[in-house]
Amino acid sequence: MPNDMRHLPFWEGFSVTSFQRHADALHLDLEPTPDTPPRCSGCQRVGSPVHEYRWRTLRDLPILGHPVWLRVRLRRVRCPHCGPKQEQVRWLGRYARLTCRLAEAVAHWCSKLPIRHVAALFGLHWDTVRLLERRRLAQQLDALPEPDPRRLVMDEFALYKGHHYATVVMDADTRRVLWVGEGRSREAIRPFFTWLGAARCARIDAVAMDMNTAFDLEVKAHCPQARVVYDLFHVVAKYGREVIDRVRVDEANRLRDDRAARRVIKQSRWLLLRNAENLKNDGQRIRLDELLAANQALATVYVMKAGLKALWGAQTGWAWRRAWKDWLAQARESGIESLARFAKRLSCYWRGILSRVRWPMHTGQLEV
Ligand SMILES: [Zn+2]
């Protein structure tokens, strides 16, 4: 082994006693330098007699692109205070199979790249990387002050292409994510309230959410002061699916003998669901106007969508109540079955829609 390799500065207190290359990887043996006495990992005392030697195999940062494997000869000391104890090594955790510097590099890259990329980059197992990532996040959370939220936002998102769900809870004011858990049932979100504790639960003023009965009931069970606020984004998305899409399909079926008109309606989905102010050019605007002029049912549900959104903008409880009653009556009298059905179901949730007047918040905060 070249002599200058013996004292590489990477491993304080140890020298390289063997150096080999197998395929692409570098294998190094490290042994304690004689002038560095062991330090007890219990009480930090230096100079106790060596009890025994043990080899530990571990990974370090790659050197010039080559994976690095270390075999380190660690000492156990016979400490007068602590008894037999592992020696303390600054660049190595107590039971770690990775050096501190490798663990730090992995955790750093986890904040920038997907886990599988980081695993490939360092030639580590996916589970190892995931563990380091979790530890990094936990340390970040520990460093923050204890949260004391007044307004919460709860939302669910799909994992694994929609087969499983997770719930996320956020502080609406600090925008800090407070909790993430698997599932979207009452039982699944209960641990969040347990963690928050009765005193902090009692201080919650409002919780924004989708019209999801599970969240709704669980919030009421734990937070006596909290008003539930239903989120405009979710309601409008639901309206698009259950009313606009339904009417569009019905109309296309009704016009099955008029191929040109049928095609116009089948291709109109995007135009109808998009906000009018987001239409890119006059061509799209003219197409939308023509479509609505030619089809009474589509025009009705389109105008009712605007009316629904306006409910979230009401300035006073009184103005809201009037607009809400008008909207429900129009839906009922429209003669459009899916619209009347949607309105009937929505009417059970009126409190959570009215709350929006007092608590202008929405789960869309989670999506920014
Ligand atoms: Zn000790």
Side-chain angles (χ1 to χ4, degrees):
M1 191 182 63
N3 200 37
D4 54 342
M5 292 227 31
R6 191 172 288 277
H7 296 293
L8 284 174
F10 305 126
W11 305 285
E12 186 189 48
F14 290 76
S15 350
V16 181
T17 53
S18 151
F19 175 87
Q20 290 174 322
R21 259 181 87 164
H22 295 302
D24 197 31
L26 307 180
H27 292 257
L28 285 78
D29 282 356
L30 299 178
E31 296 193 47
T33 45
D35 55 349
T36 316
R39 178 186 291 272
C40 168
S41 61
C43 64
Q44 307 295 317
R45 187 191 141 98
V46 179
S48 300
V50 174
H51 179 62
E52 60 177 339
Y53 290 90
R54 281 183 192 172
W55 289 98
R56 194 194 297 179
T57 302
L58 50 115
R59 296 287 307 270
D60 201 350
L61 269 183
I63 295 178
L64 300 175
H66 298 284
V68 173
W69 287 91
L70 304 178
R71 221 162 63 95
V72 187
R73 197 174 187 215
L74 295 169
R75 294 164 287 190
R76 276 171 74 77
V77 295
R78 202 179 316 119
C79 173
H81 298 287
C82 316
K85 203 82 185 161
Q86 180 70 52
E87 74 168 308
Q88 171 98 37
V89 178
R90 280 223 314 199
W91 44 270
L92 184 60
R94 196 143 166 223
Y95 305 106
R97 297 282 157 185
L98 283 75
T99 60
C100 295
R101 116 185 102 238
L102 176 58
E104 277 162 22
V106 168
H108 170 79
W109 282 103
C110 280
S111 65
K112 304 186 188 310
L113 294 174
I115 285 178
R116 68 195 154 82
H117 289 186
V118 179
L121 189 65
F122 291 100
L124 293 169
H125 196 275
W126 199 85
D127 284 336
T128 309
V129 177
R130 200 173 53 164
L131 191 73
L132 289 167
E133 164 70 349
R134 280 214 193 121
R135 204 177 296 161
R136 181 182 72 87
L137 293 174
Q139 279 167 356
Q140 277 182 357
L141 283 180
D142 286 347
L144 292 168
E146 188 74 356
D148 191 10
R150 295 293 186 272
R151 303 188 306 155
L152 301 175
V153 177
M154 301 186 82
D155 203 4
E156 61 184 42
F157 57 92
L159 303 163
Y160 315 121
K161 295 185 180 159
H163 292 298
H164 294 281
Y165 286 85
T167 300
V168 56
V169 184
M170 195 176 84
D171 182 328
D173 299 299
T174 64
R175 303 197 151 212
R176 179 169 155 196
V177 171
L178 300 174
W179 187 83
V180 180
E182 257 183 274
R184 52 176 176 172
S185 64
R186 286 188 66 171
E187 293 73 30
I189 60 173
R190 198 160 298 151
F192 165 72
F193 296 101
T194 311
W195 167 79
L196 197 60
R200 282 189 291 177
C201 278
R203 288 197 290 271
I204 300 293
D205 290 325
V207 184
M209 62 180 69
D210 190 4
M211 289 190 295
N212 172 326
T213 346
F215 290 173
D216 186 323
L217 295 174
E218 197 63 16
V219 165
K220 282 176 188 152
H222 296 281
C223 308
Q225 302 295 320
R227 298 296 298 268
V228 167
V229 182
Y230 294 119
D231 170 36
L232 170 67
F233 170 85
H234 282 105
V235 175
V236 172
K238 204 173 162 71
Y239 183 86
R241 283 192 309 272
E242 295 181 7
V243 180
I244 295 186
D245 277 351
R246 185 71 253 160
V247 170
R248 208 172 46 80
V249 170
D250 288 348
E251 288 299 294
N253 287 341
R254 192 173 63 79
L255 293 167
R256 72 174 72 81
D257 297 329
D258 182 346
R259 287 184 64 184
R262 181 181 151 91
R263 202 177 63 230
V264 169
I265 288 179
K266 288 196 83 166
Q267 291 171 348
S268 67
R269 181 166 195 272
W270 183 85
L271 275 180
L272 289 166
L273 296 182
R274 200 86 203 241
N275 288 331
E277 58 271 22
N278 291 342
L279 294 181
K280 283 202 186 68
N281 54 47
D282 289 345
Q284 292 174 345
R285 228 162 277 135
I286 290 166
R287 263 179 66 205
L288 177 65
D289 289 346
E290 284 174 356
L291 178 74
L292 297 179
N295 193 295
Q296 178 69 48
L298 282 177
T300 305
V301 295
Y302 189 80
V303 170
M304 289 296 281
K305 181 177 88 166
L308 180 65
K309 287 162 91 172
L311 287 172
W312 267 259
Q315 294 298 308
T316 64
W318 175 245
W320 179 86
R321 194 171 295 270
R322 204 170 47 204
W324 172 240
K325 279 191 165 171
D326 287 350
W327 193 87
L328 287 180
Q330 283 164 9
R332 218 171 23 240
E333 289 154 19
S334 67
I336 298 168
E337 202 194 318
S338 54
L339 176 55
R341 198 169 48 228
F342 181 87
K344 194 173 170 202
R345 266 210 307 273
L346 192 65
S347 64
C348 309
Y349 292 101
W350 70 271
R351 278 192 187 81
I353 302 171
L354 173 58
S355 299
R356 171 63 171 77
V357 177
R358 175 134 183 245
W359 305 107
M361 55 195 281
H362 53 86
T363 57
Q365 284 172 321
L366 288 176
E367 284 139 29
V368 292

